[in-house]
Amino acid sequence: MALRLCSTVLSVSVVRTNHCSRKPTFRSVSAPTNTTIRMSSSETIPSTSSTSNVIDSHLHVWASPQEASKFPYFPGQEPNLPGNVDFLLQCMEEAGVDGALIVQPISHKFDHSYVTSVLKKYPTKFIGCCLANPADDGSGLKQFEHLVLKDGYRAVRFNPYLWPSGEKMTNEIGKTIFKRAGELNVAVGFMCMKGLDLHISEIEQLCTEFPSTLVLLDHLAFCKPPLNDKEDFVFSKLLNLARFPQVYVKFSALFRVSRTQLPYLDLSPLLSQLVSSFGANRVMWGSDFPFVVPECGYKGAKEAVQLIANQIPLPSSDLEWIMGKTAAQLFHSQLTVAKHE
């Protein structure tokens, strides 16, 4: 049977007064920090005042046009959105986000110089996820080791669509990088943009052969709320990956996986099942900045998670794990410092 979705629709007051937010879709009402976000029903959502850091587990940065001479874009991948670090820092400050995992963007492809410069400039705010180069000549392994051992990257992204035509992520270079990631205590993120069902067997094989390598599934593995038995079956495959204790799920890029508009309440049943299967300590929020900005605004993406969680409802302790504690524990690094009260 296909998953039955929650049909409750809420009216949310959101303030959008700057470039980190898209144009208003709701009536804007200012609200003090420690009040509540009011909905059309009689329910209210208390705004959290936790001392735990809020960590964005998935975002990108790239050079501004003015910086492109020093940090060139990959030909054909020039970005059409602003994504420089100064813009990101502005958005994070306004949203109350303390740290983030920066995923190497396709706009710079395998040239990590811009992201590396950001990591070095803000070592207590950001950690890096590099992009695996699956070139047949094996040069990608050396680059990966350099980025981890010399530049401090803590994760690597496997984009299956960068593998040579006809090759799978379980080929020799894929297994070599995946195994080496485990030896270096580096997590491997999978981007299954064209569907989890196309890559589930590869992920399961790698997890089985190399159980010490941590795994991150980007954007709920691109599983949308199921509308039919086939989609329900694929989502059940995602939940079944919980049997591998090294697998974590990013509850990220909600605008990509939801079938509705902000605040994406159709994702409440999916989040509930993810937490039931994996535990909140293996689920983490991510924005997918800067792509999220024109969709719902950076702050709106963060606030949506609390609205979604309230529909379940999730305990506040679970929400703290999703909003930062999972990432802090997973990377057990400079992002674990408690927030100043």
Side-chain angles (χ1 to χ4, degrees), residues 168 292 296:
K168 293 186 176 181
V292 70
C296 65

Side-chain angles (χ1 to χ4, degrees), residues 121-339:
K121 187 174 182 179
Y122 302 100
T124 62
K125 202 167 192 72
F126 300 119
I127 50 180
C129 173
C130 59
L131 182 61
N133 181 353
D136 291 331
D137 62 6
S139 59
L141 176 62
K142 292 181 180 179
Q143 183 188 38
F144 166 65
E145 291 178 328
H146 177 89
L147 290 167
V148 172
L149 298 173
K150 301 296 183 182
D151 296 327
Y153 284 74
R154 301 296 307 279
V156 56
R157 189 180 215 190
F158 274 32
N159 179 342
Y161 317 112
L162 295 178
W163 256 250
S165 179
E167 294 287 330
K168 293 186 176 181
M169 295 181 290
T170 48
N171 68 359
E172 182 178 356
I173 186 61
K175 286 186 177 182
T176 300
I177 295 177
F178 192 88
K179 178 182 179 182
R180 186 64 174 136
E183 294 169 349
L184 295 174
N185 196 27
V186 167
V188 175
F190 287 98
M191 186 184 76
C192 303
M193 182 174 283
K194 296 182 180 179
L196 175 63
D197 54 322
L198 299 178
H199 311 293
I200 183 71
S201 62
E202 297 164 75
I203 294 171
E204 290 177 329
Q205 182 180 340
L206 290 169
C207 288
T208 300
E209 292 187 24
F210 309 103
S212 64
T213 301
L214 297 173
V215 167
L216 313 175
L217 298 173
D218 296 345
H219 313 335
L220 287 82
F222 286 86
C223 289
K224 292 190 173 188
L227 295 179
N228 52 53
D229 289 345
K230 179 181 178 181
E231 292 178 352
D232 198 41
F233 179 72
V234 174
F235 185 67
S236 72
K237 287 285 192 178
L238 169 60
L239 298 178
N240 195 35
L241 288 173
R243 73 188 190 275
F244 297 106
Q246 76 262 43
V247 175
Y248 292 71
V249 179
K250 291 184 183 181
F251 190 64
S252 55
L254 305 186
F255 66 94
R256 294 189 187 276
V257 292
S258 174
R259 298 185 189 275
T260 65
Q261 298 298 311
L262 186 73
Y264 311 126
L265 297 182
D266 63 335
L267 298 179
S268 292
L270 277 66
L271 179 59
S272 178
Q273 292 184 69
L274 286 174
V275 172
S276 295
S277 297
F278 288 87
N281 63 337
R282 289 166 63 192
V283 179
M284 63 192 93
W285 167 72
S287 69
D288 202 18
F289 172 94
F291 301 107
V292 70
V293 175
E295 296 292 336
C296 65
Y298 187 78
K299 187 177 181 181
K302 176 198 169 191
E303 292 174 341
V305 183
Q306 191 170 354
L307 293 163
I308 292 167
N310 188 68
Q311 290 295 105
I312 297 174
L314 273 187
S316 59
S317 57
D318 281 358
L319 189 58
E320 283 193 10
W321 278 103
I322 293 168
M323 297 305 295
K325 289 178 67 177
T326 298
Q329 184 180 80
L330 180 62
F331 297 108
H332 51 80
S333 67
Q334 62 267 32
L335 302 183
T336 61
V337 181
K339 214 189 283 186

